[in-house]
Amino acid sequence: MTEPLGWGLIGTGGIAATFAADMMFTESGRAAAVGSRHLDSADRFADRFNIPNRHASYEALVADPDVDVVYVATPHPMHHAGALLALHAGKPVLVEKAFTMNGTEAEELVATARADELFLMEAMWTRCLPHIAEIRRLLAEGALGEIVTVTADHGQWFVQDPHFRLFAPELGGGALLDLGVYPVSFASMVLGKPDRIVTLSDPAFTGVDGQTSMLFGYASGAQAVLTCTLSAKSPTRGAIVGTDARIEIDGNFYAPTSFDLISRTGERTRFEAPHEGRGLWHEAEEVARCLREGLLESPLMPLDESVEIMQTMDAVLARAGANY
């Protein structure tokens, strides 16, 4: 049996904790080490999740011989530097979404990984979930006919704290990079990169985008209608509408959930899958599979697509800034 991968976690925040907790649901890997800028933070995190190695710097984490693959779980502005650090240490890398702060950073990460022949993947965990695998199968089979419209929303309510990372400009705050990346990535999975973008956005009290709505157009004539907000809990549902049938995904569409396939005449087929944990372990499984097979990127979240998604969000934010 192949030895489980030793994961090294850069960062000790909420998403790192969710990932570490989810490792109990997979035998393909284990949390071997954690790195923070402060040893006491690394120690507390390691004690909480029974992680043997803890480091007071990210440099020490990527140099740890027990670390086979690095998970970058810091706030968005630190993704680029953390991933480069791991790549320069010769380690495969899983980078939290949003992949980077912008398309230029994303291009540099991909170029570095390809030049060094190292695995790199954006941690868009939604792509690895069972209901999304079934949706992709239906799309590949043409079960929906020609795609006409994609819709998705992601809204969460947060206390208006200027120090909270989603409201803090210096931490990459804003609705789009943290929440809107899910609808944008969902539309990208179905329709690719848009060739027309219309944006309406209003700022939060700190100046970051607080609510952003997007209309994407595609050469095929299809459209995507996407929204995100920091001010309210939205249904967080997704839909793919085709000429022959549509898919309606329950909330939260980006997490383990269910969906209905509904024909043009109204017949419904229900898809439900049991799941364990929060679902992040599926992306750890995908990384392990790719490394076992010698792949340098995942077909579920291709690197060129991660770059395109960042470029799309660059365009959205540029238009959003022009609105206020």
Side-chain angles (χ1 to χ4, degrees):
M1 181 178 176
T2 305
E3 285 292 316
L5 291 172
W7 283 88
L9 281 58
I10 290 182
T12 57
I15 195 67
T18 301
F19 186 88
D22 253 28
M23 292 304 293
M24 69 179 291
F25 299 106
T26 176
E27 296 181 355
S28 69
R30 60 184 179 84
V34 61
S36 178
R37 290 170 294 183
H38 306 285
L39 185 59
D40 58 344
S41 176
D43 281 336
R44 286 194 301 271
F45 191 93
D47 290 343
R48 179 181 173 188
F49 295 105
N50 298 314
I51 299 174
N53 302 356
R54 57 282 310 264
H55 301 283
S57 72
Y58 303 148
E59 290 80 4
L61 182 280
V62 300
D64 188 331
D66 291 338
V67 171
D68 300 311
V69 57
V70 173
Y71 171 50
V72 178
T74 51
H76 312 315
M78 285 78 101
H79 288 181
H80 176 258
L84 278 182
L85 192 67
L87 290 170
H88 289 325
K91 301 292 174 72
V93 190
L94 176 68
V95 187
E96 252 313 313
K97 62 1 163 177
F99 193 44
T100 53
M101 285 293 291
N102 53 57
T104 300
E105 289 185 352
E107 288 176 333
E108 183 179 359
L109 286 190
V110 171
T112 301
R114 287 175 172 166
D116 295 341
E117 297 186 337
L118 289 167
F119 178 86
L120 176 66
M121 176 180 164
E122 179 185 1
M124 179 48 72
W125 58 298
T126 306
R127 298 290 182 98
C128 305
L129 297 175
H131 73 289
I132 294 297
E134 181 67 7
I135 287 171
R136 295 181 86 148
R137 183 188 69 79
L138 290 168
L139 291 172
E141 291 179 353
L144 276 64
E146 296 297 318
I147 304 303
V148 176
T149 310
V150 170
T151 64
D153 72 280
H154 191 181
Q156 305 288 346
W157 180 88
F158 300 99
V159 174
Q160 292 194 352
D161 176 358
H163 303 294
F164 178 51
R165 67 179 183 85
L166 266 73
F167 291 114
E170 68 277 11
L171 295 179
L176 184 68
L177 284 177
D178 204 271
L179 307 182
V181 65
Y182 286 103
V184 172
S185 185
F186 179 64
S188 175
M189 182 188 78
V190 179
L191 293 171
K193 187 177 182 179
D195 57 14
R196 289 162 292 152
I197 297 173
V198 178
T199 300
L200 181 63
S201 186
D202 288 293
F205 68 102
T206 56
V208 301
D209 68 293
Q211 175 163 282
T212 296
S213 297
M214 298 155 274
L215 177 62
F216 294 169
Y218 301 84
S220 66
Q223 298 179 358
V225 182
L226 316 171
T227 63
C228 57
T229 180
L230 301 175
S231 300
K233 179 66 177 78
S234 70
T236 62
R237 292 178 177 168
I240 307 169
V241 182
T243 53
D244 295 335
R246 71 182 185 271
I247 287 171
E248 295 182 355
I249 311 173
D250 299 340
N252 295 317
F253 80 89
Y254 57 85
T257 191
S258 307
F259 70 86
D260 290 306
L261 173 66
I262 307 168
S263 73
R264 189 170 56 232
T265 54
E267 293 87 358
R268 286 180 178 259
T269 303
R270 183 73 170 164
F271 174 86
E272 296 188 53
H275 65 88
E276 297 179 299
R278 290 284 298 277
L280 270 67
W281 62 272
H282 291 285
E283 66 183 355
E285 285 276 302
E286 174 62 8
V287 172
R289 182 191 70 82
C290 290
L291 293 178
R292 282 195 308 270
E293 296 180 9
L295 301 179
L296 296 182
E297 60 184 283
S298 168
L300 301 184
M301 190 67 254
L303 292 176
D304 287 341
E305 188 182 355
S306 289
V307 171
E308 289 180 349
I309 288 168
M310 290 312 311
Q311 292 170 339
T312 296
M313 294 203 295
D314 285 349
V316 169
L317 284 173
R319 288 163 173 78
N323 290 337
Y324 51 81

